[in-house]
Amino acid sequence: MQGYLWFIGKRALQLLAVIFFGVSATFLVTHLSPISPVEAALGRMTARSNSAPEAVQAMREALTAMYGVDQPILQQYGSFWVRLMHGDLGPSMIAFPTPAMTLVMRALPWTVGLLTVSILINFLVGNLLGALAGYNQNSRLLKGFGVIAMGLQPIPQYIVAFVLLIIFGFLWPVLPISGGFSMDVTTGWTWQFAGSVIVHSILPAASLVLVGFGGWFLGMRALVSNVVTEDYVTYAELAGVQRSTIVGGYVVRNALVPQLTALAMTLGGVFSGTVIVEQVFNYPGLGSLLIDAVGGGDFSLVLAVGTVSVTAVAVAIFIIDLLHPLLDPRVRAE
């Protein structure tokens, strides 16, 4: 037990380091960008008005002082961490004066829900069918799943999203193609609102599931195909051990550990794919919010989205990493 606690401590330090460098990289990318957030905000404010030059200059000076972009980069960096420790990254420029973190917290549950559902379906169904296909290599049905997986796996997620959009939005309009819920439904903890949210999430989730399923299926099938040739599996079969025990206790358990490592490595990629999918279906998650923030030159909002995203992905990888010593006794917590 003491060794496992020491393992947790080391992984926690790595988690803090990943978050620190990831958030710092997000800060540098935004502040070294040639896009001026002040000029972008002024452009939106004066686009539909005939403001006097003196008024425009006054607004420029006020925005510059408010966001501190006239300060040295190191001073801005220090101020950023101080504000971050207090959970305040300033107001959003595209939704002024709403705080940037408020917008992120509104969008975060949508992305977390979409990612959680799609990842669980991909991981559980893909690994289950892949394990069965690797153990029962003569099954025609499972071979058919393999062909489907190989066909879908290389396709980008946004291509699948556009195809689903065309099919269910125009050719066979039976599912909503935009938004997170119906506008005529009152938000709240009601069955009507929950049903509307589920229906609106079907197409975005399907875009992620159809592409992600193939990778998990093919990976698990290859792992199980190697495990079933091991001596201990052959001995268990000759000894008359139940088939379900062999598959679940011997084959799947040993093949699942590399899949957990793959899950940790693909979390960042899944999130990046969600950004485009959310934009395609106008889904009110972090992806759509990030694209709006980048397009509007809203550095505060970009930093808020980037900070929360880096932290969420790092924590998820940290939790998966802690499961390894519990699932595989060969992993030593030294």
Side-chain angles (χ1 to χ4, degrees):
M1 184 63 182
Q2 184 177 1
Y4 185 63
L5 293 177
W6 178 244
F7 174 81
I8 294 176
K10 292 191 297 184
R11 291 299 185 269
L13 292 177
Q14 294 178 3
L15 169 67
L16 295 176
V18 169
I19 293 176
F20 174 77
F21 287 110
V23 173
S24 298
T26 304
F27 174 87
L28 290 177
V29 168
T30 55
H31 283 71
L32 296 179
S33 171
I35 301 175
S36 172
V38 173
E39 296 302 325
L42 283 175
R44 288 191 300 272
M45 294 177 183
T46 60
R48 298 183 180 181
S49 63
N50 191 14
S51 303
E54 296 80 6
V56 174
Q57 182 60 28
M59 286 190 291
R60 178 179 289 108
E61 294 174 357
L63 290 173
T64 300
M66 178 184 299
Y67 290 97
V69 293
D70 58 336
Q71 300 173 353
I73 187 67
L74 290 179
Q75 187 174 349
Q76 294 184 50
Y77 181 67
S79 299
F80 161 72
W81 278 106
V82 171
R83 296 196 310 271
L84 182 60
M85 293 299 102
H86 292 85
D88 179 20
L89 292 180
S92 167
M93 287 188 174
I94 61 176
F96 189 87
T98 306
M101 289 301 294
T102 300
L103 296 176
V104 171
M105 291 299 106
R106 291 176 184 172
L108 182 61
W110 297 95
T111 296
V112 170
L114 183 62
L115 278 177
T116 302
V117 171
S118 60
I119 289 175
L120 284 178
I121 293 176
N122 277 336
F123 188 77
L124 296 177
V125 177
N127 282 314
L128 176 60
L129 294 179
L132 294 175
Y135 190 76
N136 304 285
Q137 299 182 9
N138 296 323
S139 172
R140 292 184 178 180
L141 177 61
L142 294 174
K143 286 183 179 179
F145 277 113
V147 174
I148 296 174
M150 286 187 290
L152 291 175
Q153 198 255 346
I155 302 176
Q157 292 166 330
Y158 63 89
I159 297 296
V160 176
F162 279 120
V163 171
L164 293 178
L165 181 69
I166 294 173
I167 293 175
F168 294 100
F170 301 98
L171 300 180
W172 189 32
V174 295
L175 291 173
I177 59 174
S178 178
F181 57 93
S182 300
M183 298 302 296
D184 58 347
V185 175
T186 303
T187 58
W189 297 100
T190 62
W191 288 111
Q192 185 182 15
F193 178 71
S196 180
V197 170
I198 292 174
V199 171
H200 279 74
S201 66
I202 290 177
L203 291 182
S207 302
L208 300 174
V209 168
L210 289 175
V211 176
F213 163 79
W216 295 116
F217 179 93
L218 296 174
M220 193 64 171
R221 186 180 66 176
L223 290 169
V224 170
S225 298
N226 292 328
V227 173
V228 294
T229 60
E230 296 289 341
D231 293 337
Y232 60 86
V233 176
T234 304
Y235 180 80
E237 292 175 341
L238 294 176
V241 179
Q242 291 185 356
R243 193 174 186 181
S244 59
T245 302
I246 296 176
V247 175
Y250 298 165
V251 177
V252 174
R253 183 176 180 180
N254 287 291
L256 192 60
V257 175
Q259 291 294 79
L260 281 176
T261 303
L263 176 61
M265 295 175 62
T266 57
L267 282 177
V270 173
F271 176 80
S272 64
T274 308
V275 172
I276 303 178
V277 170
E278 287 183 356
Q279 186 69 10
V280 171
F281 294 103
N282 194 27
Y283 199 74
L286 290 179
S288 298
L289 189 64
L290 178 61
I291 292 178
D292 292 340
V294 172
D298 191 342
F299 284 8
S300 298
L301 190 53
V302 171
L303 276 174
V305 174
T307 299
V308 171
S309 301
V310 168
T311 303
V313 173
V315 170
I317 294 175
F318 171 72
I319 294 174
I320 294 173
D321 200 18
L322 295 185
L323 295 177
H324 277 231
L326 302 179
L327 295 177
D328 188 358
R330 295 171 296 182
V331 178
R332 302 302 180 186
E334 299 179 353

